[in-house]
Amino acid sequence: MAFCQQSYAQAMLPDPRQVPAAFMRLIQAAKYVEIYQASAVVSARVFRARAQGSDREYAEFMGYVAKTDLESVKPCLAFLASKHDISEGDAVDVAAFFESPIGVRLLKQSQEVMLQTIEQLRPVQPNFEGWSEEDRGRLIAIYQSVAFRKYSALASNRSFAEGSVGCYKAVLSMKNPGVQF
């Protein structure tokens, strides 16, 4: 059974050579995997402790996400992103923003807000009080750009989210033979 599961997982993952470089750069710059793994550490603990309904299964899954090397999931996420309504040029523009000092700061703050939200099991609002007027203006400009609006639409797209989970499950299945995800 594990062989079949592993073979299926391998078949689902794209050949990294077929993934457009712009989308690999976007997934890396946006720290998709790193942020997801950080959330998995907190989610596994919180949902294991809460233990309601399907919490135990979710906590177990997130425990695997937290402890598994998931570098190989990036091409799958990038390939998936490339199939949505965001061009290679848009992907490069958003990646460049996330690679900039203000983008790095925004990602760090976003991760902190997400972790607090998971920890508290309620939405936590970001705080931009410590940001300069210039930085706030730059954030508004990037948020209003076509590229960032397309990226935001991608990030909140249900099919992208479901496909992303499939990417993680495929890699986890390959790295944890015999475990069903």
Side-chain angles (χ1 to χ4, degrees):
M1 180 71 169
F3 174 76
C4 292
Q5 187 178 12
Q6 191 169 15
S7 297
Y8 170 76
Q10 287 172 321
M12 184 181 165
L13 296 173
D15 180 340
R17 296 170 296 188
Q18 295 177 334
V19 177
F23 290 96
M24 277 299 292
R25 181 178 172 196
L26 174 62
I27 294 301
Q28 291 170 339
K31 302 200 177 301
Y32 258 87
V33 174
E34 295 83 354
I35 290 173
Y36 191 63
Q37 282 192 293
S39 75
V41 171
V42 176
S43 293
R45 181 176 41 75
V46 168
F47 284 87
R48 190 175 297 115
R50 190 173 83 158
Q52 296 176 2
S54 62
D55 285 356
R56 187 181 67 75
E57 292 150 14
Y58 181 70
E60 186 176 334
F61 172 72
M62 292 307 265
Y64 278 100
V65 169
K67 69 181 182 181
T68 302
D69 174 7
L70 294 173
E71 187 68 25
S72 59
V73 81
K74 290 178 181 179
C76 187
L77 296 172
F79 182 78
L80 189 62
S82 75
K83 300 303 178 192
H84 285 78
D85 186 30
I86 182 168
S87 70
E88 288 189 42
D90 294 332
V92 167
D93 290 348
V94 175
F97 168 72
F98 283 137
E99 292 164 348
S100 73
I102 192 171
V104 169
R105 184 177 178 193
L106 179 65
L107 284 172
K108 184 175 191 279
Q109 178 174 314
S110 297
Q111 180 178 346
E112 290 169 2
V113 166
M114 181 183 60
L115 296 178
Q116 290 171 9
T117 295
I118 296 167
E119 188 78 49
Q120 297 175 25
L121 294 172
R122 64 176 182 77
V124 173
Q125 297 300 314
N127 180 350
F128 294 98
E129 289 179 16
W131 293 63
S132 70
E133 286 299 317
E134 179 183 345
D135 285 347
R136 285 188 219 175
R138 290 174 63 202
L139 284 177
I140 290 169
I142 190 68
Y143 285 158
Q144 292 175 345
S145 73
V146 170
F148 204 84
R149 285 197 312 255
K150 287 183 180 181
Y151 169 77
S152 295
L154 168 71
S156 62
N157 182 285
R158 182 180 175 136
S159 70
F160 180 73
E162 290 171 357
S164 296
V165 171
C167 291
Y168 285 106
K169 285 182 176 183
V171 170
L172 289 171
S173 293
M174 285 183 4
K175 296 198 176 228
N176 299 282
V179 179
Q180 192 166 359
F181 296 100

